[in-house]
Amino acid sequence: MIEETPYFLTLETEFKTVKQGEVEVKIPEKINARQVSLFPILPSITWNFNF
C-alpha cells in the first residue's frame, strides 16, 4: 500500500495586458496548477529486535 502525504493545489493565473485606447485591460492568458505538499519529507524510523 502506498501512502501519500497530504497536499493542496494552488492556481496561478498569468495575465496578458491589452491596451484599448486610454485603458489597459488584463486578460487571463494561462492558468497553472501547482501541488504543494504539507509534509514534503517525513522521516521514517524502523526498529528491529532480535531475541
Side-chain angles (χ1 to χ4, degrees), residues 17-33:
T17 304
V18 177
K19 191 170 185 178
Q20 292 182 339
E22 299 290 323
V23 179
E24 289 186 359
V25 179
K26 290 186 178 182
I27 300 172
E29 186 174 51
K30 188 177 182 182
I31 298 175
N32 297 320

Side-chain angles (χ1 to χ4, degrees), residues 11-49:
L11 298 176
E12 298 174 347
T13 308
E14 293 180 17
F15 293 95
K16 177 180 177 183
T17 304
V18 177
K19 191 170 185 178
Q20 292 182 339
E22 299 290 323
V23 179
E24 289 186 359
V25 179
K26 290 186 178 182
I27 300 172
E29 186 174 51
K30 188 177 182 182
I31 298 175
N32 297 320
R34 286 186 52 206
Q35 177 179 333
V36 179
S37 296
L38 296 178
F39 308 109
I41 300 174
L42 289 176
S44 65
I45 298 172
T46 304
W47 294 84
N48 293 322
F49 296 101

